[in-house]
Amino acid sequence: MALPVAEWRRSVARCWAALEPTLRERLEAAPLDEVLRLGCGLFRPEEAALQRLCGRALVGKEPAAARFYREEGNRRFGRCCYRDAARLYSQAAAFEPPHSPEVALCFANRSAALFHLGYFEVCLEDIARAESHGYPNRLLPKVLLRKAECLLRLGRLQDATDTLTAVENKMAVDGVMTNPIHLKLLKKLSQLKTEIHKGSCPEPAQEARGDIQRESEIWEENGSISGASSSLSLNFNTERGRHLVASQDILPGQNLLKEKAFVSVLCPGEGDSHLLQDSSETVWDTHVTNTDLYCHHCLKQLLASVPCSGCSYAKYCSQNCADVAWEQYHRTECPLGALLLVLGVFCHVALRTVLLAGFPEVSRLVEWSHGDNNKDLCSAEVGGKHPSKALDTRAGMKGIPGCNDNGQYQSSYQAVFNLLPHVEKHSPEHKFLCMLSVVAICKKLQETGLEAPVLNRESSTMGSEQKTCGKASDELSPQLMIMAEAMLRHVLQLQCNAQAITVMQELESGDGAVVNKKPVRLATAFFPVLSLLNHSCSPNISVSFDGTAATVRASQPIPSGQEIFHCYEMLCCSNKACALSVSRERLSRRLLDLQQQMEKALELLRDSKADEAIKMLLKCQMDARNFLSPEHLLMGELEDHLAQVYATLGKWQEAARHLERSIQLVEMHHGPSSVEMGHELFKLAQILFNGFAVSEALSTIQRAEEILSVHCGPQSTQIQELQEMKTCLLELPRSILQRT
């Protein structure tokens, strides 16, 4: 959810409509600093509505929620659904206060689920967490026996022996044990001692591995553009602005850029309905979002999350990530959690950007932006004159905005700050919404005493300045006004410069005969170097992500001198000849309704009601034809879902027919060599393989291999699966191969 929740957008829209025409004109024409000064006085009447919305965003510690998730986890554990149980215990731990017996119990329960899944190292980490958070002394023998068994399975016999000795001593100190639970523990203890005496170490379960990327080329980094290949150069002209071009011939699959995001914020999920609870009743559910699946700092997939000690929202893959996040930004964001969820990811990214940059650097660049040099540079990029040498020297640039004193374009805050905000292209209403949202954040920082750490100062030195900007004046301190101006600039920049970090997420299907994956927006980020790429509907590169790092590869041959193009997702009608004019809000509403119906159909499929799912998807198809062109991507998604249902029923020919229609649209929108095309061909290969269409399967496997090896590397999981299918088909008897 990039923008604020719908209720806040409506509230701000009413405020804008009620303004005097002269004030609206002033706000439209004023520079960002003046807009913020005017906006501070306009925020007070809207503050109560915003506070009510924040009260519905549940981000604090909540024992009732913890109890619900722990009990639900126990039920899943009892049904041997260990992965679901581990996730639910993680959710329970997030809602429990730190260093309490309750959170220790969550970690201990999760360790049991992890043990059954074969994640013995992670299980040991959870056992250590349980002990450090005050796990009840009377329950320790059971957990220590699990620890010993983990150590045994990992081949650490001496550690296992020492742990069993500690268990024996503990049980001896506690006295004679005659109840059934204690007798069971003694039996388990005896079994483990026998295994250690024999020196037997059961084979550990293999932990899941992600795609393996092997670099098959020598990487020579560009001396002027951080993270870029030496085969690229940075150009600037009044028509294209800043852009990258090939300085030599480039081959398909060649790495062009490796950049870590300057800042990234995990997206909570699609839509905002799950973010705010109905004020009348709190309802807990087991709905899974990105926040439960990925680390909030490094975006690594979560197995056993470490919760924030102050809120229930932020979760991390390790204590190290939790500590780094706290030091860099979360110490400020944690008390603002509800407000940031209400105001959306763009505002959250803007705040985190200035926190990472630090006040001295933000202040320096905001002050620079008020000078004539910045106006000349911006006008040059949007079609004005080229900046003069004199102005370049004064601004610390070497002719191209964002470069440092040495003429290098780095993935730095200076590069982020110099991304164009396109202030003149935003509607007045949108700018007003962004401005009031930024003011709301800064007012909260000021009123809750968070201003001092934000400005990298001791609270004592801020006392007198904060007093001069009391609540009654509705003003921000001069320092916070600088931070607010930078944040507003970043929110406006994100409209054109935000990069979605995506992952291929496996979707649940009926029988698992066909692995169905789709790209899911995981986070929103600033990539200063990646942002240099201009948009084209026919890109010549593809972008893949590993955590917060982006890798750009050539998707086709790029001759020397050709510009490097990236395809950014845009919301627009796919039918260029369409003469029907509908409002963006109405179109978005109809699209949302259609997507909800499609999701219901997939729920029917997951409940083994394939026939009902087909009927609902065919109805969705008829509805979609009433307002979408045949070339719209959603039409292809419907064909894709129909293929999934028919594959579940084992109707392989019908499934292939629908998927081929989807592939036609994917090729039209993304190109014949795109990574999206590769993923669709991978699914088609699975369907043809299962349907015994040998010759068609072999040709599809070859096409999918050619594309995915370029985008994902030759050692990726999908390439390995394609090769296994090909080997299996080629080993069939010759008589079968001839018939097909």
Side-chain angles (χ1 to χ4, degrees):
M1 188 189 64
L3 297 177
V5 297
E7 292 95 324
W8 176 241
R9 296 201 303 270
R10 287 194 291 267
S11 179
V12 173
R14 288 191 295 269
C15 178
W16 171 261
L19 295 179
E20 292 290 333
T22 53
L23 181 53
R24 284 206 299 265
E25 290 173 6
R26 282 186 65 191
L27 287 167
E28 289 179 37
L32 296 184
D33 55 341
E34 180 62 24
V35 167
L36 286 162
R37 274 191 286 272
L38 292 169
C40 285
L42 298 171
F43 171 68
R44 181 63 64 187
E46 308 304 318
E47 189 171 11
L50 187 58
Q51 286 178 346
R52 285 194 296 271
L53 289 172
C54 291
R56 292 167 52 194
L58 301 170
V59 295
K61 302 298 184 182
E62 179 56 63
R67 188 163 51 252
F68 168 82
Y69 288 116
R70 188 171 61 250
E71 291 172 356
E72 188 63 31
N74 291 341
R75 280 191 283 271
R76 301 290 177 93
F77 189 93
R79 298 201 295 265
C80 300
C81 300
Y82 299 121
R83 193 169 294 275
D84 287 345
R87 177 178 53 78
L88 288 160
Y89 290 140
S90 294
Q91 288 177 288
F95 282 99
E96 293 285 15
H99 305 294
S100 65
E102 291 78 16
V103 75
L105 188 62
C106 292
F107 290 136
N109 288 358
R110 190 172 69 184
S111 75
L114 293 168
F115 177 83
H116 284 284
L117 291 169
Y119 293 107
F120 302 120
E121 290 284 7
V122 188
C123 176
L124 289 173
E125 292 173 9
D126 258 1
I127 291 171
R129 289 188 187 106
E131 291 183 273
S132 67
H133 282 268
Y135 191 68
N137 194 56
R138 59 187 173 80
L139 301 176
L140 267 179
K142 183 177 180 180
V143 172
L144 291 176
L145 283 173
R146 187 179 304 139
K147 178 180 178 179
E149 192 165 0
C150 281
L151 292 168
L152 175 63
R153 291 185 179 238
L154 291 169
R156 295 160 58 181
L157 300 184
Q158 186 58 53
D159 291 338
T161 301
D162 294 343
T163 302
L164 286 180
T165 300
V167 175
E168 284 184 303
N169 293 337
K170 169 69 179 163
M171 296 172 79
V173 169
D174 289 344
V176 179
M177 303 182 185
T178 56
N179 69 51
I181 294 177
H182 291 155
L183 291 174
K184 187 176 179 181
L185 288 174
L186 287 169
K187 183 179 179 181
K188 185 69 176 177
L189 177 61
S190 177
Q191 288 174 345
L192 289 175
K193 289 176 71 175
T194 302
E195 286 187 37
I196 290 176
H197 181 71
K198 291 179 179 179
S200 62
C201 301
E203 193 68 25
Q206 291 295 313
E207 298 192 6
R209 293 176 180 269
D211 287 358
I212 301 172
Q213 301 294 335
R214 291 183 184 172
E215 298 301 336
S216 58
E217 62 179 273
I218 297 175
W219 173 262
E220 185 178 346
E221 187 161 346
N222 197 300
S224 301
I225 311 165
S226 66
S229 162
S230 57
S231 60
L232 301 180
S233 62
L234 175 58
N235 284 15
F236 179 92
N237 61 46
T238 56
E239 181 184 355
R240 306 294 302 165
R242 291 165 287 189
H243 58 284
L244 297 178
V245 299
S247 57
Q248 60 189 56
D249 291 344
I250 295 170
L251 298 175
Q254 188 173 330
N255 281 340
L256 303 180
L257 174 65
K258 302 172 186 176
E259 182 182 18
K260 187 176 180 181
F262 178 83
V263 61
S264 63
V265 171
L266 190 68
C267 299
E270 294 298 322
D272 54 45
S273 58
H274 67 281
L275 297 179
L276 304 182
Q277 289 277 0
D278 188 341
S279 57
S280 61
E281 183 181 0
T282 299
V283 179
W284 310 107
D285 61 38
T286 56
H287 178 70
V288 179
T289 68
N290 288 345
T291 61
D292 306 306
L293 299 175
Y294 298 93
C295 176
H296 288 225
H297 180 66
C298 72
L299 304 184
K300 177 182 176 181
Q301 195 157 10
L302 293 175
L303 180 61
S305 59
V306 177
C308 170
S309 59
C311 68
S312 61
Y313 182 72
K315 307 175 186 74
Y316 304 96
C317 65
S318 65
Q319 190 60 49
N320 180 64
C321 267
D323 293 342
V324 171
W326 183 262
E327 288 302 316
Q328 290 185 347
Y329 52 82
H330 194 62
R331 126 187 2 255
T332 300
E333 293 177 358
C334 189
L336 306 181
L339 180 63
L340 294 173
L341 278 178
V342 168
L343 296 181
V345 171
F346 279 7
C347 283
H348 197 160
V349 172
L351 173 62
R352 189 171 294 181
T353 300
V354 297
L355 292 175
L356 289 171
F359 179 70
E361 182 69 355
V362 172
S363 178
R364 180 183 73 83
L365 287 168
V366 168
E367 182 180 355
W368 170 82
S369 71
H370 293 166
D372 293 336
N373 47 354
N374 177 60
K375 294 182 176 64
D376 286 341
L377 286 168
C378 289
S379 63
E381 184 135 23
V382 296
K385 62 183 180 180
H386 191 284
S388 68
K389 288 289 182 182
L391 289 173
D392 291 344
T393 303
R394 180 182 167 192
M397 304 288 176
K398 293 293 183 181
I400 298 180
C403 289
N404 62 19
D405 293 341
N406 298 319
Q408 296 174 316
Y409 192 94
Q410 298 179 317
S411 188
S412 63
Y413 181 65
Q414 179 165 307
V416 171
F417 192 87
N418 276 276
L419 296 174
L420 291 180
H422 294 292
V423 176
E424 72 287 347
K425 294 183 180 180
H426 295 284
S427 70
E429 295 86 350
H430 178 72
K431 285 189 286 188
F432 187 69
L433 171 66
C434 295
M435 178 272 294
L436 276 191
S437 299
V438 167
V439 167
I441 293 173
C442 291
K443 292 286 288 183
K444 191 72 173 177
L445 291 172
Q446 187 164 273
E447 292 170 4
T448 54
L450 291 169
E451 182 177 2
V454 168
L455 302 179
N456 309 122
R457 298 187 184 184
E458 297 295 331
S459 57
S460 59
T461 64
M462 294 296 302
S464 60
E465 294 178 0
Q466 285 183 329
K467 288 176 184 176
T468 61
C469 298
K471 297 179 184 179
S473 67
D474 291 330
E475 293 179 2
L476 295 174
S477 71
Q479 292 83 6
L480 269 183
M481 187 64 77
I482 291 171
M483 297 293 270
E485 183 178 344
M487 287 172 59
L488 181 53
R489 182 186 183 97
H490 297 323
V491 174
L492 298 175
Q493 285 172 332
L494 284 163
Q495 200 72 19
C496 292
N497 292 288
Q499 174 64 54
I501 295 178
T502 59
V503 292
M504 293 302 298
Q505 207 168 80
E506 190 170 323
L507 305 177
E508 295 179 34
S509 59
D511 60 359
V514 176
V515 177
N516 190 18
K517 293 184 176 182
K518 74 169 186 176
V520 174
R521 188 187 190 106
L522 177 60
T524 297
F526 269 135
F527 287 92
V529 181
L530 184 56
S531 292
L532 294 171
L533 302 183
N534 283 322
H535 169 77
S536 172
C537 292
S538 301
N540 49 19
I541 57 97
S542 78
V543 183
S544 59
F545 298 94
D546 180 12
T548 61
T551 298
V552 176
R553 294 182 178 90
S555 60
Q556 62 191 52
I558 306 174
S560 178
Q562 187 177 98
E563 185 173 351
I564 311 300
F565 288 111
H566 181 28
C567 181
Y568 296 93
E569 292 296 323
M570 296 183 176
L571 177 62
C572 58
C573 179
S574 60
N575 186 353
K576 296 178 181 177
C578 179
L580 179 65
S581 176
V582 296
S583 71
R584 183 188 183 96
E585 185 176 352
R586 184 184 170 197
L587 177 61
S588 297
R589 190 164 56 247
R590 294 190 70 177
L591 283 171
L592 180 61
D593 290 342
L594 183 63
Q595 288 167 330
Q596 289 174 342
Q597 291 301 310
M598 290 163 61
E599 182 56 38
K600 288 180 181 178
L602 295 180
E603 286 287 346
L604 290 171
L605 176 60
R606 287 191 281 269
D607 292 339
S608 302
K609 299 176 181 177
D611 291 333
E612 293 180 45
I614 289 173
K615 290 179 183 178
M616 182 166 283
L617 287 171
L618 291 174
K619 182 180 182 302
C620 289
Q621 209 171 37
M622 291 180 60
D623 294 341
R625 287 171 181 154
N626 292 328
F627 73 102
L628 295 178
S629 74
E631 295 82 19
H632 198 283
L633 273 173
L634 206 61
M635 301 298 287
E637 196 172 328
L638 280 163
E639 296 286 1
D640 195 277
H641 291 328
L642 283 165
Q644 183 183 351
V645 180
Y646 282 115
T648 302
L649 294 172
K651 297 182 178 180
W652 305 111
Q653 288 184 340
E654 193 72 11
R657 184 170 61 84
H658 283 285
L659 191 55
E660 284 165 353
R661 291 176 185 168
S662 172
I663 288 173
Q664 290 175 358
L665 292 178
V666 169
E667 182 173 3
M668 182 187 304
H669 284 271
H670 298 289
S673 303
S674 64
V675 67
E676 291 84 2
M677 189 70 174
H679 291 308
E680 290 299 299
L681 288 171
F682 176 77
K683 286 189 285 187
L684 181 60
Q686 290 178 303
I687 287 173
L688 295 171
F689 176 87
N690 285 294
F692 238 70
V694 179
S695 59
E696 293 94 332
L698 287 171
S699 62
T700 303
I701 287 170
Q702 183 177 346
R703 288 180 65 197
E705 272 190 293
E706 290 171 354
I707 295 171
L708 291 174
S709 62
V710 168
H711 294 283
C712 306
Q715 302 300 322
S716 68
T717 302
Q718 286 180 306
I719 292 292
Q720 291 174 6
E721 289 183 35
L722 288 167
Q723 290 171 347
E724 288 171 6
M725 284 192 283
K726 180 166 62 175
T727 300
C728 183
L729 292 172
L730 292 175
E731 289 176 351
L732 290 171
R734 187 179 296 275
S735 57
I736 295 178
L737 290 172
Q738 288 174 343
R739 286 204 307 269
T740 58

